[in-house]
């Protein structure tokens, strides 16, 4: 399995564990019978840790590994694009997971602009993924060297 | 990769970037209060991701990679998968349309279309979900035969 795919898939597992931890915290907090549960602010983080961090990242990792190779010389296309996608994807989601709930707990100008930054990173990551995988969705299979 | 898989996987990648970009705009709107109309697109974001991205990808990869039906590599009649895909795209179109111009029957229509898509893809995949049939090698004929 190529190094790139291993990074994507291992990081996906980290997000799966984080998502479970957030889910457990949210469920346990319901036992406290608080009037307003502060951990309710984590719901969107939970969904995206699961669907973006785990499911989407796992799919992209497996696609990098198993989709038809790009060319004999560059089986996975331009790997710099793939690494840039990996970095923006996880930085964006990680930053968002911290600052999105802060918008409810301790809103400030810094938090707001950090969310804008996280949104830009997340969207950039998806376009980089498109750039990386699109040429590998093809009819003819060329063999890797 | 067969033609249907090319179409379906490319469609799924487009849903990922377009739906994700809508999500990015929502996040910016949430932080700094711009473009409040984007929240009409919240349902469209959710469906573009869960149905457009994940289901299109699953349909495309399943058609490509499930065990073939005979030694010539026959994947089964493609009309069922094309119908499943057509029904899915129609359901998504209805949902996107209704999230912008709310329309009470939309959810019922879209879920019926999705249900028919599920039946069509299951019908296609069912006979292909089987253990690999390993045909015995024809016995070597000796010169004396
Ligand atoms: C660039 C990546 C993404 C961004 C920026 C984004 C952003 C958002 C935002 C702003 C919301 C609304 C949150 C709210 O109501 O306050 C949302 C909801 C949601 N998104 Fe995403 N999203 C992204 C990717 C995805 C992906 C890949 C999936 C699934 C595969 C997904 C699934 C969902 C779901 C299920 C909800 C509804 C959550 C709920 O009802 O509480 N999103 N997203």
């Amino acid at each position: 399995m190529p190094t790139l795919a291993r990074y994507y898939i291992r990081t996906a597992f980290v997000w799966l564990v984080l998502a479970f931890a957030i889910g457990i915290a949210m469920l346990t907090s319901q036992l406290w019978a608080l009037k307003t549960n502060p951990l309710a602010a984590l719901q969107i983080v939970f969904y995206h840790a699961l669907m973006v961090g785990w499911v989407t990242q796992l799919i992209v990792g497996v696609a990098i590994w198993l989709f038809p190779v790009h060319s004999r010389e560059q089986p996975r296309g331009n790997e710099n694009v793939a690494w840039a996608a990996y970095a923006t994807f996880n930085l964006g989601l990680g930053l968002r997971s911290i600052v999105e709930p802060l918008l409810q707990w301790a809103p400030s100008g810094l938090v707001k602009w950090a969310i804008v930054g996280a949104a830009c990173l997340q969207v950039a990551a998806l376009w980089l993924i498109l750039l990386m995988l699109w040429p590998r969705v093809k009819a003819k299979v060329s063999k890797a060297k | 990769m067969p033609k249907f898989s090319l179409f379906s996987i490319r469609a799924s990648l487009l849903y990922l970037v377009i739906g994700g970009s809508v999500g990015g705009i929502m996040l910016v709107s949430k932080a700094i209060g711009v473009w409040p109309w984007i929240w009409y697109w919240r349902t469209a974001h959710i469906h573009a991701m869960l149905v457009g991205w994940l289901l299109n990808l699953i349909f495309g990869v399943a058609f490509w990679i499930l065990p073939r039906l005979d030694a010539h590599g026959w994947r089964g009649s493609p009309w069922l998968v094309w119908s499943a895909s057509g029904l899915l795209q129609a359901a998504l179109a209805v949902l996107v349309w209704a999230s912008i111009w709310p329309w009470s029957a939309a959810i019922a229509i879209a879920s019926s279309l999705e249900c028919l898509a599920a039946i069509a893809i299951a019908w296609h995949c069912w006979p292909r979900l089987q253990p690999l049939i390993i045909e015995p090698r024809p016995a070597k004929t000796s010169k004396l035969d």
Side-chain angles (χ1 to χ4, degrees), chain A residues 43-45 47-48 50-53 55-57 59 89 93 96 100 104 115 118-126, chain B residues 15-17 19-30 39 42-43 45-51 53-54:
Chain A
Q43 188 178 340
I44 304 291
V45 174
Y47 275 121
H48 288 86
L50 204 61
M51 298 311 300
V52 184
V55 177
T56 301
Q57 185 156 215
I59 289 173
F89 191 99
L93 186 60
R96 175 185 179 181
E100 200 176 6
Q104 286 190 32
I115 294 181
C120 295
L121 283 169
Q122 279 200 282
V123 172
L126 298 185
Chain B
Y15 275 113
L16 174 68
V17 288
S21 301
V22 169
I25 301 173
M26 283 196 296
L27 204 51
V28 171
S29 165
K30 190 180 200 173
W39 288 93
R42 187 175 182 278
T43 321
H45 164 73
I46 297 170
H47 285 277
M49 291 301 167
L50 300 181
V51 180
W53 158 231
L54 295 177

Side-chain angles (χ1 to χ4, degrees), chain A residues 19-32 34-47 97 100-102 104-105:
Chain A
F20 271 121
I22 296 168
I24 290 168
M26 283 168 59
L27 283 178
T28 323
S29 70
Q30 288 177 2
L31 303 174
W32 304 335
L34 299 170
K35 251 195 192 152
T36 53
N37 186 346
L39 294 197
L42 290 176
Q43 188 178 340
I44 304 291
V45 174
F46 168 74
Y47 275 121
S97 306
E100 200 176 6
L102 281 180
Q104 286 190 32
W105 297 335

Side-chain angles (χ1 to χ4, degrees), chain A residues 48 51 55-56 59 66-68 96 100 103 112-113 115-116 119 122-123 126-127 130 133-134 137-139, chain B residues 1 5-6 9-10 13-14 16-17 20-21 24 27-28 30-32 42 45 50 53-54 57 61 64:
Chain A
H48 288 86
M51 298 311 300
V55 177
T56 301
I59 289 173
L66 293 178
F67 269 14
R96 175 185 179 181
E100 200 176 6
L103 198 61
K112 287 179 182 172
W113 288 106
I115 294 181
V116 174
Q122 279 200 282
V123 172
L126 298 185
W127 287 91
L130 180 79
L133 291 182
W134 191 270
V137 183
K138 59 180 187 174
Chain B
M1 215 182 259
S5 303
L6 290 179
I9 298 175
R10 284 184 181 155
L13 287 170
L14 290 177
L16 174 68
V17 288
S21 301
L27 204 51
V28 171
K30 190 180 200 173
I32 55 177
R42 187 175 182 278
H45 164 73
L50 300 181
W53 158 231
L54 295 177
L57 182 81
V61 172
W64 173 37

Side-chain angles (χ1 to χ4, degrees), chain B residues 26-111:
Chain B
M26 283 196 296
L27 204 51
V28 171
S29 165
K30 190 180 200 173
I32 55 177
V34 290
W35 314 307
W37 48 265
I38 194 67
W39 288 93
Y40 287 118
W41 287 70
R42 187 175 182 278
T43 321
H45 164 73
I46 297 170
H47 285 277
M49 291 301 167
L50 300 181
V51 180
W53 158 231
L54 295 177
L55 282 193
N56 271 311
L57 182 81
I58 290 167
F59 284 15
V61 172
F63 186 67
W64 173 37
I65 231 156
L66 284 179
R68 317 284 180 91
L69 294 171
D70 65 22
H72 302 291
W74 171 240
R75 290 185 167 91
S77 164
W79 76 267
L80 264 175
V81 280
W82 281 109
S83 318
S85 176
L87 289 160
L88 210 63
Q89 316 314 326
L92 280 161
V94 169
L95 285 166
V96 170
W97 179 275
S99 63
I100 306 162
W101 292 282
W103 167 36
S104 57
I107 286 285
I109 294 175
S111 359

